[in-house]
Amino acid sequence: MATQAEQRYSILAVDDNRNALEIIKRILFRSGYEVITSEGVPDAVKILDKHRIDLVITDLKMPKHSGFDLIRYVSENFYDTAVIMITGYPSIEGAVEAIKMGADDFLAKPYTDDELMSVVRQSLERLETQRSAQNTLELEAYFGIVGSSKPMKKVFKLIAKAATMTANVLISGESGTGKELVARAIHYNSPRSSAAFVPVNCAAIPDSLVESELFGHEKGAFTGANATRTGFFEVAAGGTVFLDEIGDASQSLQAKLLRVMQNKEIIKVGSNQVVKVDTRIVAATNKDLLDLVNRKLFREDLYYRIDVIDIPIPPLRMRSQDVPLLTQHITAQLCEETGGEPMFFSDRAIKAMTAYSWPGNVRELENLIQKLSVTVDNNRVVIADLPRPMRFSIDHKIGLHRSLAAVENEHIQNVLASLGGNKTQAAKILKIDRKTLREKLKKIDSDN
Ligand SMILES: Nc1ncnc2c1ncn2[C@@H]1O[C@H](COP(=O)(O)OP(=O)(O)OP(=O)(O)O)[C@@H](O)[C@H]1O
Ligand SMILES: [Mg+2]
């Protein structure tokens, strides 16, 4: 079928008999498929990890490793690669066993060119159906926030609760965990949703402009005030002001914010008219606000006004089970934006991504997927396409003849690599103190 071949499916044929391989290769190649051949299971595994393979055709009886081993490997590691088993011993049990093991079809020797082609086409058609089904899989999302892990379910509950209340909210979490997304979800899920949601970056307002930015100014209020300006709080009247990076607010900004919260009124710069404001405040921080309070860097009175409803968002590494779902969501989103073909991730790639610690959280995952969409051929992401720290976390899992010390060393090095060498963070994740970490690293160094 020309349409299938036009898509350039990659097929890996595995047989210890070189002649048989040549025949398969010729038949498939003639039909326009890309064909890679391999004479044994270990070599086939290597090829699978490096190339994007749509279909594996494997002989059953081979010296050392049988076709069953390969079928099991493929079905455990590549959810969208089809497998056809070929055997010279056509037995029902063998066929049943192969299907149970994850093979998609079965071909008995001797077979004709047409028989081979028909089984190949059927398998690829099934694969295509399976792929489009995956695409339309229902996502577990709450106002665009994806997650099915326990910690995220808790966040969803808090959002729902916060949306029905008018109390101020403090969202805390590491950079890239989705704080702004949560703030928007609260607003758009609340009775205020028809009024404005106004994000204010507290770290970016120069002291000289604090009042004018927050409360607005009258024309001619100061040099350069050429026109009347509406402040953030007025724009957000009846709606929500999102005070992002509140931990970075200057002392003068803190003082002004406290005043609005206490009095619920503003005075435009250059005016003496007091205006009542009804604005809900949702703030976010990636810093430990209480720690800033203790260090006298953040006003305690302001802290207690903001931190009424507390929504902590856990870092992605604490909810790694969401990684596959997020990957799917972000991939689909990207696809919609660019109109490109959807990307598929091999199971091993997904496993490696799930095991990775994501110091940049969901934003880091977004950036990775964006990068992959440019660099990856055929829209199929295999483990070899991933950045080294991610590959590292899974590359060596296969080796079962390693000592505990070797596994520990490797884990320490992986964690460190994933954090760009940050020893303080690594020690925190490993739950050991920095001194112990230093000693362990010294030992690793001297052993190598
Ligand atoms: N659970 C999620 N589901 C879907 N997308 C998410 C999720 N969490 C974060 N994102 C996406 O990741 C990116 C970063 O999220 P966001 O900007 O909300 O993070 P943040 O916590 O505000 O980060 P920062 O502290 O750096 O400002 C955004 O593009 C957002 O859409
Ligand atoms: Mg943000």
Side-chain angles (χ1 to χ4, degrees), residues 175-181 242 244-245 284 286 363:
S175 194
T177 46
K179 294 187 291 297
E180 177 150 2
L181 217 52
F242 173 50
D244 202 3
E245 318 223 22
N286 56 19
R363 184 171 296 115

Side-chain angles (χ1 to χ4, degrees), residues 47-187:
I47 292 171
L48 279 160
D49 280 344
K50 288 210 184 75
H51 300 267
R52 291 152 202 91
I53 303 293
D54 298 294
L55 172 67
V56 176
I57 303 177
T58 181
D59 190 28
L60 179 59
K61 284 247 168 169
M62 289 181 284
K64 282 194 196 154
H65 301 274
S66 91
F68 281 142
D69 295 330
L70 186 60
I71 294 169
R72 201 182 304 118
Y73 180 78
V74 172
S75 66
E76 276 172 9
N77 293 291
F78 302 92
Y79 65 87
D80 62 343
T81 299
V83 187
I84 296 171
M85 193 188 80
I86 299 181
T87 176
Y89 308 87
S91 74
I92 297 292
E93 297 89 272
V96 169
E97 192 69 2
I99 302 290
K100 246 203 252 167
M101 213 70 91
D104 299 83
D105 221 325
F106 179 80
L107 193 62
K109 286 186 212 173
Y111 51 84
T112 64
D113 293 11
D114 285 347
E115 278 166 346
L116 173 68
M117 282 313 301
S118 140
V119 175
V120 165
R121 276 185 203 126
Q122 278 171 21
S123 291
L124 288 174
E125 264 164 33
R126 264 199 307 270
L127 185 70
E128 215 41 62
T129 317
Q130 195 184 308
R131 284 180 177 174
S132 34
Q134 259 165 30
N135 255 353
T136 54
L137 198 85
E138 265 315 310
L139 290 171
E140 300 206 34
Y142 184 83
F143 278 79
I145 309 170
V146 172
S148 62
S149 61
K150 248 198 186 149
M152 281 316 281
K153 292 246 161 87
K154 199 170 153 199
V155 171
F156 296 163
K157 259 193 201 152
L158 288 170
I159 293 172
K161 189 175 135 201
T164 60
M165 297 160 75
T166 50
N168 294 338
V169 180
L170 178 63
I171 305 166
S172 56
E174 288 177 15
S175 194
T177 46
K179 294 187 291 297
E180 177 150 2
L181 217 52
V182 169
R184 284 178 194 276
I186 293 171
H187 172 76

Side-chain angles (χ1 to χ4, degrees), residues 13 27 49 98 160 170 176-177 199 207 256 277 284 309 360-361 371 379:
I27 299 170
D49 280 344
L170 178 63
T177 46
D207 268 356
K256 301 292 182 318
V277 287
I309 303 173
N361 293 295
K371 227 184 265 167
N379 292 314

